[in-house]
């Protein structure tokens, strides 16, 4: 049952709790750096065999639901209703998180979109010809969609529509070396906004044009995935599954799930994988030396280690966030990938939350890690701790200390508001 319209005094109280402090975006596409590992428990021997194993790809017919659930990208209608009720009642953590969002520039009704016909993004977004504008406009559209859902102020719905219409009337292509990642980041946010506006607000004359934009401009750029660092392909998969849901396209959805089943075991290690991490079939890394180099020089493997841990925690956080978002969307769609991949997500969260706060041992990345995990733990923590009952002590400590988590200005936004202790 949907909660009643919020009283202005309650909204004002929520809005005053915390100003939005937005984290600066980290650069993408940084070259790999090698780290020499030292003596450690279960250190990898030089004669360990190479592996090219992966989770079996389940036939596409077993993936997509018979009918898609809407709104159903990242956050469900039940979750939206719960967060709305909690904001209205001043309940933590949603009340403070809503205040943070509403005090951000993304929620301003004066926000102006900056669409481009061609968005050109090189490594580190250099050049940045529309890259920041596109990502932030997509987050702003999602922000206003959430703001409308909570407040029922139609000005916020109109602003979300204005932003999405501006881009669907203009964008034609993404170019330069970071085009696939840029496309993935923007297209991770667009469907979230579009789902709320189309299926909850309901009055959007140009919804069809926006759907065409996702199908013809965004999806072709990400469909083939990536053999770069794993956060690239995981972000592509997050965008792809969202596009599939919004378009009610089972083929797009199924393809995203197939890529997910191959990529996640190649991104987060479990000891059950064997002496070496799994590899994505066909990525060309089929020797021990190639696998070690791809894992940024790490030679000791433990539960939760990521392919990018020894690169930095920021990019690893992108990958973890995308994994959790894909699993959450699948759950909403009645498929639920958490039973297959929850252990990898759980261990990845716990491992990186631990070393975000504590010094690493000498065998991990040569004894030095580059921290900066970011606002990426709420979705996985809520699913795996609150719903499924895993303790997740280190993830809990990290998450509670950083609430409310805002946005990384790339593709992660307002997950304390949407998922913080949300039982729906």
């Amino acid at each position: 049952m949907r909660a009643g319209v919020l009283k202005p005094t309650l909204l004002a109280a929520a809005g005053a709790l915390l100003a939005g402090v937005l984290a600066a975006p980290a650069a993408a596409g940084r070259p790999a750096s090698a780290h020499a590992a030292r003596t450690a428990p279960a250190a990898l021997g030089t004669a360990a065999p190479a592996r090219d194993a992966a989770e079996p790809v389940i036939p596409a017919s077993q993936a997509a639901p018979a009918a898609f659930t809407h709104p159903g990208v990242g956050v469900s209608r039940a979750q939206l209703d719960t967060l709305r009720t909690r904001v209205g009642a001043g309940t933590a953590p949603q009340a403070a998180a809503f205040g943070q969002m509403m005090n951000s520039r993304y929620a301003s009704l004066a926000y102006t979109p900056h669409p481009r016909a061609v968005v050109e993004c090189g490594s580190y977004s250099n050049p940045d010809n529309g890259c920041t504008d596109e990502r932030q406009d997509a987050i702003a559209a999602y922000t206003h969609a959430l703001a409308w859902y909570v407040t029922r102020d139609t000005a916020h719905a109109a602003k979300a529509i204005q932003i999405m219409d501006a881009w669907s009337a203009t964008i034609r292509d993404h170019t330069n070396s970071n085009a696939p990642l840029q496309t993935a980041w923007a297209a991770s946010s667009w469907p979230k906004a579009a789902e709320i506006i189309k299926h909850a607000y309901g009055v959007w004359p140009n919804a069809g044009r926006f759907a065409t934009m996702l199908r013809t401009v965004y999806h072709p750029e990400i469909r083939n995935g990536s053999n770069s660092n794993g956060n690239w392909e995981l972000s592509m998969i997050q965008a792809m599954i969202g596009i599939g849901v919004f378009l009610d396209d089972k083929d797009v959805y199924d393809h995203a799930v197939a890529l997910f089943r191959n990529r996640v075991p190649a991104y987060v290690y479990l000891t059950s994988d064997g002496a070496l991490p799994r590899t994505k079939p066909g990525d060309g890394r089929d020797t021990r030396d190639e696998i070690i180099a791809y894992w940024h020089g790490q030679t000791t493997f433990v539960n939760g280690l990521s392919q990018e841990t020894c690169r930095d925690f920021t990019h690893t956080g992108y990958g973890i966030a995308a994994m959790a978002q894909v699993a959450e969307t699948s759950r909403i769609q009645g498929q639920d990938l958490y039973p297959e991949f929850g252990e990898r997500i759980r261990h990845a969260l716990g491992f990186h939350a631990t070393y975000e706060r504590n010094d690493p041992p000498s065998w991990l990345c040569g004894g030095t890690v580059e921290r900066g995990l970011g606002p990426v733990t709420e979705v996985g923590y809520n699913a795996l701790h609150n719903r499924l009952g895993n303790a997740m002590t280190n993830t809990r400590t990290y998450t509670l200390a950083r609430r409310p988590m805002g946005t990384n200005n790339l593709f992660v936004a307002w997950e304390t508001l949407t998922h913080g202790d949300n039982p729906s």
Side-chain angles (χ1 to χ4, degrees):
M1 181 177 296
R2 193 170 296 173
V5 176
L6 295 173
K7 295 180 181 179
T9 54
L10 291 173
L11 290 176
L17 286 172
L18 184 64
V21 180
L22 302 179
R30 185 161 45 192
S33 61
H35 297 266
R38 299 173 188 170
T39 302
L44 186 65
T46 57
R51 294 188 57 185
D52 189 13
E55 297 285 346
V57 175
I58 305 301
S61 61
Q62 297 182 30
F68 288 100
T69 297
H70 303 288
V73 176
V75 60
S76 67
R77 187 182 295 271
Q79 289 170 317
L80 289 166
D81 287 343
T82 296
L83 73 88
R84 183 171 188 254
T85 299
R86 286 186 165 196
V87 172
T91 303
Q94 274 71 31
F98 184 71
Q100 177 192 44
M101 184 184 82
M102 295 304 291
N103 281 303
S104 76
R105 61 191 177 83
Y106 292 110
S108 170
L109 290 172
Y111 190 96
T112 302
H114 299 87
R116 285 178 179 248
V118 177
V119 175
E120 182 187 10
C121 305
S123 182
Y124 294 92
S125 291
N126 182 23
D128 180 348
N129 294 324
C131 316
T132 300
D133 288 340
E134 181 185 32
R135 295 191 303 264
Q136 296 186 358
D137 283 1
I139 291 173
Y142 180 48
T143 301
H144 283 284
L146 288 171
W148 167 79
Y149 203 95
V150 173
T151 66
R152 292 303 195 265
D153 183 346
T154 58
H156 285 295
K159 179 58 67 173
I161 290 170
Q162 178 198 8
I163 295 168
M164 291 188 286
D165 281 355
W167 279 90
S168 69
T170 307
I171 184 69
R172 297 293 179 267
D173 198 9
H174 297 85
T175 63
N176 216 318
S177 59
N178 262 31
L181 184 60
Q182 169 71 21
T183 304
W185 281 341
S188 291
S189 297
W190 287 131
K192 291 182 179 180
E195 280 281 294
I196 294 171
I197 294 301
K198 180 178 179 180
H199 295 286
Y201 181 69
V203 183
W204 185 11
N206 290 318
R209 189 178 73 195
F210 188 84
T212 298
M213 176 193 79
L214 292 180
R215 185 179 297 281
T216 62
V217 178
Y218 287 84
H219 182 243
E221 188 70 47
I222 60 178
R223 176 176 172 79
N224 292 330
S226 169
N227 287 329
S228 183
N229 283 294
N231 82 87
W232 277 53
E233 186 163 79
L234 288 163
S235 291
M236 292 177 186
I237 294 166
Q238 179 184 345
M240 203 180 308
I241 202 168
I243 290 172
V245 171
F246 183 73
L247 297 180
D248 290 298
D249 191 316
K250 294 182 180 182
D251 289 340
V252 173
Y253 183 98
D254 288 342
H255 185 62
V257 172
L259 287 175
F260 191 75
R261 285 193 162 109
N262 281 335
R263 172 56 72 176
V264 173
Y267 193 69
V268 176
Y269 177 82
L270 293 180
T271 55
S272 57
D273 294 336
L276 282 171
R278 297 187 179 198
T279 60
K280 176 189 169 186
D283 75 353
R285 298 177 180 93
D286 54 8
T287 69
R288 177 189 180 277
D289 288 347
E290 288 171 338
I291 293 169
I292 296 300
Y294 187 50
W295 284 65
H296 298 273
Q298 179 68 12
T299 58
T300 300
F301 300 98
V302 297
N303 284 331
L305 185 80
S306 163
Q307 179 258 315
E308 294 187 271
T309 299
C310 293
R311 180 190 187 189
D312 59 61
F313 281 20
T314 300
H315 287 88
T316 301
Y318 300 163
I320 294 172
M323 285 191 294
Q325 282 283 340
V326 171
E328 192 71 3
T329 295
S330 76
R331 183 189 71 90
I332 295 167
Q333 296 306 322
Q335 178 191 17
D336 201 349
L337 292 168
Y338 283 115
E340 285 183 69
F341 301 105
E343 278 298 279
R344 292 187 194 267
I345 297 171
R346 180 174 74 87
H347 280 294
L349 285 168
F351 184 86
H352 294 90
T354 297
Y355 294 115
E356 185 76 16
R357 299 167 43 246
N358 300 296
D359 290 337
S362 61
W363 56 262
L364 178 61
C365 310
T368 302
V369 295
E370 186 173 334
R371 298 184 176 92
L373 188 59
V376 302
T377 61
E378 288 281 19
V379 176
Y381 174 72
N382 189 52
L384 297 165
H385 171 72
N386 293 328
R387 283 202 299 262
L388 297 178
N390 296 288
M392 300 181 71
T393 303
N394 290 309
T395 305
R396 173 182 172 83
T397 299
Y398 177 89
T399 302
L400 297 186
R402 285 158 178 79
R403 282 181 172 172
M405 294 192 190
T407 177
N408 67 358
N409 300 317
L410 299 174
F411 71 103
V412 178
W414 321 125
E415 292 183 350
T416 299
L417 175 64
T418 56
H419 291 82
D421 300 337
N422 190 328
S424 300

